[in-house]
Amino acid sequence: MTIESILTEWRYRLKKGYPETHSDYNILRDVLTEMTALSETDKNMIVQRSMGLTEDEPIDEPQTTSIDFSEIGLPADIVRQVQIQYNTLSEGEKTEFKKNYRVHTIESFVDSGYKAFEKFFMVNVGGARGGMGNGEISVLLGVADSKPGGTAQHDIVMPYGEWEVKELSGKKDTGRSDGKFDPAGEGRSSKFALTEKIQNFYTEIVIPVDQIGDPYEQLHHLVDPTSHEQLKRLIMIFETRFSQAIDGAQFKKMEWKKSAMHNWYEGFKELHEIFYKTKLDTSVRDTRITVDTDGNKESYWIDDKDASSIRQTAGTSNTTDILVGDPVSDINNDIIIWFKRIARNEFIREPNNFITELNIIKSSFFNNVAGLIYYDYRNPVPHIGTAADFAIDVVSLGIYRFVLKNMSANQGYSYIEHQS
């Protein structure tokens, strides 16, 4: 990696093609982090020199300030970086900094107190801060009695509880936020019942119908002719809402995209309409008659009414006519079991149970913290987020991900809109 390539990338990311503001030098730090393996000390040295400092000026040691940043409880290297950033402020900015330094509540910080610390939003981006993200330093500088949580606790520790700080993800080329954040271990899919319920739904119901050849040919003789159209619709729902909604490899890798989640919820609602508002489930033929000839038993499907007639005429001299259907085979038996599984599935009986399970996952995160402070992508203005502001939209890398519900890209997705 050459110096020229680093400078070219830096200039490309600057609005005017050359540095004009202090934040432009934070972009240089970004570039150095992404394109080199330099230590924090070396990156600081390059950034300082790019600001016009000479080799004779102290590079590794910050200028003296009247503020003891070590009281926050940050590692010495982070304290040093905060001091370096502080020393770049103008006299007016330093005055505002001191006026707002560790005097705010979370609420007053979010309201306007953050403004004195905007230039600290991206301190040490990409550096070794023990997992700290953008915006956490700003909160610690502004909020009274706040402490860093480290790896064992949430990001900001207050006397009354712990707060999580999240920067929403976005795209570097546009600088726009997509409204998402990763809850890390707290969103791990293996922790939640919904994961196993969806996996079982595919194993017991979706995959079998994919493996029986032409589903309609295999199933129509088990259903009363008056329900054949509903059967065709049921098969179409399984094909479009479930089989085609997600690739098998992605399903196993726990990469469940928004399109899949949307199709599942809509599919559950459509299957509910068929099974509970038509006669399809009641027209499934699971009655049989068995003929034993010299020890050779053969079973055939018959209508429930014919079975009732047999019971009524049994032991009498009366006769009854019955319509004998196809022979019962293992495949037939499996199909009956499959039908019954559909009727018993909780998401088909009550589609809103799918939303309930998503709300349980979301609540497990929000109930575990005193609150959430979030920032839009690369934007130092903080917000207090609530469970009602966010929804589960995808599973990626085996983690349920959160997204702001009011993002335009989420409009029209009822499984997102219906989460409370």
Side-chain angles (χ1 to χ4, degrees):
M1 191 64 59
T2 65
I3 293 176
E4 184 57 36
S5 63
I6 292 172
L7 293 176
T8 298
E9 176 65 18
W10 183 31
R11 287 193 295 268
Y12 171 76
R13 298 190 189 183
L14 299 177
K15 290 183 179 180
K16 293 188 176 181
Y18 57 87
E20 184 181 45
T21 65
H22 186 276
S23 62
D24 290 336
Y25 293 94
N26 286 330
I27 295 175
L28 174 59
R29 185 183 294 279
D30 274 346
V31 173
L32 291 170
T33 298
E34 295 168 13
M35 299 179 66
T36 75
L38 292 172
S39 68
E40 287 303 312
T41 298
D42 289 338
K43 284 186 285 187
N44 286 335
M45 178 181 67
I46 293 172
V47 171
Q48 284 179 271
R49 285 179 177 172
S50 69
M51 290 178 172
L53 298 178
T54 68
E55 294 187 12
D56 294 332
E57 291 180 276
I59 294 171
D60 293 327
E61 296 299 326
Q63 300 172 28
T64 303
T65 71
S66 60
I67 300 176
D68 180 12
F69 294 118
S70 62
E71 67 173 331
I72 299 175
L74 292 166
D77 183 55
I78 310 304
V79 171
R80 182 176 58 81
Q81 292 180 58
V82 171
Q83 290 175 326
I84 290 173
Q85 186 74 21
Y86 176 85
N87 292 334
T88 66
L89 301 179
S90 68
E91 289 306 313
E93 289 171 333
K94 287 179 180 177
T95 298
E96 285 301 305
F97 183 102
K98 292 176 182 177
K99 184 193 307 181
N100 288 276
Y101 179 66
R102 294 181 65 79
V103 299
H104 288 280
T105 63
I106 294 287
E107 290 74 17
S108 67
F109 171 82
V110 170
D111 180 51
S112 61
Y114 71 89
K115 295 178 181 179
F117 310 102
E118 285 185 302
K119 290 187 176 179
F120 295 81
F121 173 69
M122 296 174 67
V123 164
N124 195 31
V125 174
R129 287 183 289 168
M132 295 180 73
N134 289 343
E136 291 181 44
I137 295 295
S138 300
V139 176
L140 292 167
L141 293 173
V143 176
D145 301 320
S146 61
K147 296 290 183 183
T151 56
Q153 296 171 287
H154 290 280
D155 299 325
I156 304 297
V157 178
M158 298 296 294
Y160 58 85
E162 301 174 12
W163 285 69
E164 191 74 9
V165 178
K166 294 292 184 183
E167 180 190 18
L168 305 184
S169 58
K171 297 182 179 179
K172 290 183 179 179
D173 56 342
T174 64
R176 293 179 182 173
S177 171
D178 59 17
K180 298 176 184 287
F181 78 83
D182 172 3
E186 294 190 51
R188 191 175 298 112
S189 59
S190 59
K191 294 171 52 177
F192 301 104
L194 176 61
T195 305
E196 185 175 1
K197 289 178 180 181
I198 293 295
Q199 290 170 331
N200 288 343
F201 179 78
Y202 267 78
T203 300
E204 297 176 355
I205 297 177
V206 178
I207 294 175
V209 78
D210 286 342
Q211 296 176 339
I212 62 174
D214 184 331
Y216 181 75
E217 288 301 314
Q218 294 288 340
L219 298 173
H220 78 278
H221 65 281
L222 300 177
V223 175
D224 189 275
T226 60
S227 291
H228 280 179
E229 289 305 312
Q230 284 79 19
L231 176 63
K232 290 178 182 178
R233 185 173 168 227
L234 177 137
I235 293 169
M236 182 191 70
I237 292 169
F238 273 103
E239 289 176 347
T240 58
R241 295 298 195 186
F242 298 101
S243 298
Q244 299 170 11
I246 186 169
D247 175 79
Q250 296 299 102
F251 183 82
K252 291 179 180 178
K253 288 168 58 179
M254 297 304 300
E255 291 288 339
W256 300 352
K257 295 183 179 180
K258 183 186 291 187
S259 57
M261 303 277 274
H262 166 75
N263 275 295
W264 295 345
Y265 183 47
E266 297 303 313
F268 292 140
K269 290 191 290 185
E270 291 166 359
L271 289 173
H272 176 84
E273 291 290 316
I274 288 180
F275 266 83
Y276 293 97
K277 297 189 178 180
T278 72
K279 294 182 178 181
L280 176 63
D281 63 321
T282 59
S283 69
V284 176
R285 298 175 179 177
D286 59 356
T287 308
R288 67 198 74 179
I289 186 171
T290 301
V291 179
D292 188 340
T293 307
D294 296 329
N296 295 320
K297 295 183 179 181
E298 292 183 290
S299 297
Y300 302 87
W301 297 114
I302 63 172
D303 190 87
D304 288 344
K305 293 180 180 178
D306 289 337
S308 178
S309 295
I310 292 173
R311 282 194 298 271
Q312 292 174 3
T313 57
T316 71
S317 59
N318 297 330
T319 62
T320 183
D321 294 326
I322 64 171
L323 178 64
V324 179
D326 295 332
V328 176
S329 66
D330 289 340
I331 293 177
N332 294 140
N333 196 50
D334 288 344
I335 290 172
I336 292 296
I337 293 172
W338 179 79
F339 263 113
K340 296 305 180 184
R341 283 175 176 168
I342 293 177
R344 290 195 303 266
N345 183 267
E346 69 167 290
F347 297 139
I348 297 173
R349 287 200 319 269
E350 180 47 72
N352 279 333
N353 282 359
F354 182 69
I355 303 300
T356 299
E357 293 290 341
L358 291 173
N359 283 330
I360 289 172
I361 297 170
K362 187 170 61 165
S363 296
S364 73
F365 173 83
F366 281 94
N367 291 345
N368 227 4
V369 295
L372 169 69
I373 300 171
Y374 74 90
Y375 298 86
D376 286 324
Y377 179 68
R378 295 298 188 263
N379 188 330
V381 180
H383 309 270
I384 293 178
T386 67
D389 298 323
F390 288 88
I392 303 288
D393 71 328
V394 300
V395 178
S396 182
L397 297 177
I399 294 175
Y400 287 95
R401 310 291 171 130
F402 290 71
V403 68
L404 277 173
K405 291 173 67 174
N406 64 5
M407 299 291 290
S408 59
N410 297 326
Q411 306 313 304
Y413 287 90
S414 57
Y415 83 96
I416 291 178
E417 295 173 346
H418 290 175
Q419 291 176 53
S420 59

